[in-house]
Amino acid sequence: MDLQKQTAPGSELRASDADRDHFADILREALAEGRLSAEEHAERVEGVYTAKTVGELEPYVRDLPGVHQARATPVYASAPQRPSAGAIPADPDENVVAVFSAAVRKGRWRAGRRIHVYSVFGSVEIDLSEAVFEYQQVVIKAWSVFGNVEVQVPENVSLRGSGGGVLGNFEVDNQDAPDPDAPVVFVDGWAVLGNIEARPKRGKLVADILDRVQRKLDKGLRKHLDR
């Protein structure tokens, strides 16, 4: 049985570390129950931790009884390709500029709805892994001329990109968050003899998403009780 080639149909979503750990737990239980030999277990665990997408994880547990009932893989909601009409202002909340220099936004900071980034013979790093998201949709508009722009987002937000390069590189690793209420970061831009990249920062999660969702539920409950 060639487990590597028999990927499950459907999802091509990027697998998270939590996804891989979940499938490894299923294999560990199968080994303890005697359903897999030590060699089979080792082979499958190796495949699980090298899988790139959720679909590639499926074949390693497909023949184990009860796996579909036991699975806890999150249901992903597809994020919009573009911001909602009127959700993002035309003027930026913040400009980040690096001309023959470097600029960094990282740590615990508040991300506005629109951020403009200019890198001219410079380097800009926008790290949202610990940022406070006050808005559900955030647009980062980047221009890179002989420069470099790097954007990093947490694993539990959605990421979208639209742009290109002229003798340059524009690359965005799209991802959908498990939580439909999670923020969506849109990275748009052009790289002229430069580089623009955006990708998830593995192992980093926005901790206040669940708090924000809970506050929304509490507010709705209070309105209901006040009637």
Side-chain angles (χ1 to χ4, degrees):
M1 178 179 179
D2 191 345
L3 292 172
Q4 295 290 343
K5 295 182 180 179
Q6 293 187 17
T7 57
S11 176
E12 295 183 357
L13 295 170
R14 301 285 293 188
S16 69
D17 290 338
D19 293 326
R20 298 184 186 93
D21 289 341
H22 171 66
F23 279 85
D25 288 340
I26 294 175
L27 295 174
R28 191 178 301 112
E29 292 179 6
L31 174 65
E33 294 171 354
R35 301 186 189 278
L36 295 176
S37 67
E39 291 182 358
E40 289 173 323
H41 174 262
E43 177 187 355
R44 296 192 187 197
V45 167
E46 181 181 359
V48 162
Y49 281 108
T50 57
K52 299 298 184 183
T53 67
V54 175
E56 291 176 3
L57 291 168
E58 293 283 357
Y60 297 103
V61 298
R62 184 182 298 152
D63 59 343
L64 298 177
V67 66
H68 297 291
Q69 290 76 17
R71 283 189 58 193
T73 302
V75 177
Y76 289 78
S78 180
Q81 293 298 322
R82 302 302 305 152
S84 303
I88 307 297
D91 296 327
D93 297 304
E94 181 177 5
N95 291 309
V96 183
V97 182
V99 180
F100 289 96
S101 62
V104 178
R105 292 292 184 275
K106 64 189 302 184
R108 197 67 173 168
W109 62 292
R110 297 183 182 276
R113 285 175 292 181
R114 178 183 287 273
I115 302 169
H116 284 184
V117 177
Y118 305 88
S119 177
V120 181
F121 289 95
S123 175
V124 176
E125 178 186 357
I126 304 293
D127 188 343
L128 295 165
S129 61
E130 297 180 17
V132 177
F133 287 86
E134 296 183 319
Y135 304 97
Q136 205 268 337
Q137 296 184 340
V138 175
V139 168
I140 298 176
K141 184 71 175 181
W143 292 268
S144 175
V145 181
F146 289 96
N148 181 67
V149 175
E150 182 179 355
V151 178
Q152 294 180 310
V153 304
E155 281 194 84
N156 59 339
V157 308
S158 295
L159 179 62
R160 290 287 184 266
S162 176
V166 179
L167 298 179
N169 176 62
F170 178 88
E171 182 178 354
V172 175
D173 291 345
N174 288 353
Q175 75 168 359
D176 287 308
D179 186 348
D181 291 321
V184 184
V185 177
F186 301 92
V187 179
D188 297 340
W190 281 93
V192 180
L193 292 168
N195 179 64
I196 298 174
E197 296 182 2
R199 57 175 51 88
K201 191 170 185 178
R202 300 304 176 193
K204 291 293 185 178
L205 303 175
V206 176
D208 63 342
I209 288 180
L210 292 179
D211 294 338
R212 180 160 49 81
V213 173
Q214 185 61 50
R215 288 196 299 270
K216 184 188 299 183
L217 293 175
D218 291 343
K219 184 177 180 180
L221 180 60
R222 286 196 297 270
K223 287 183 177 180
H224 178 73
L225 294 176
D226 290 340
R227 290 178 180 176

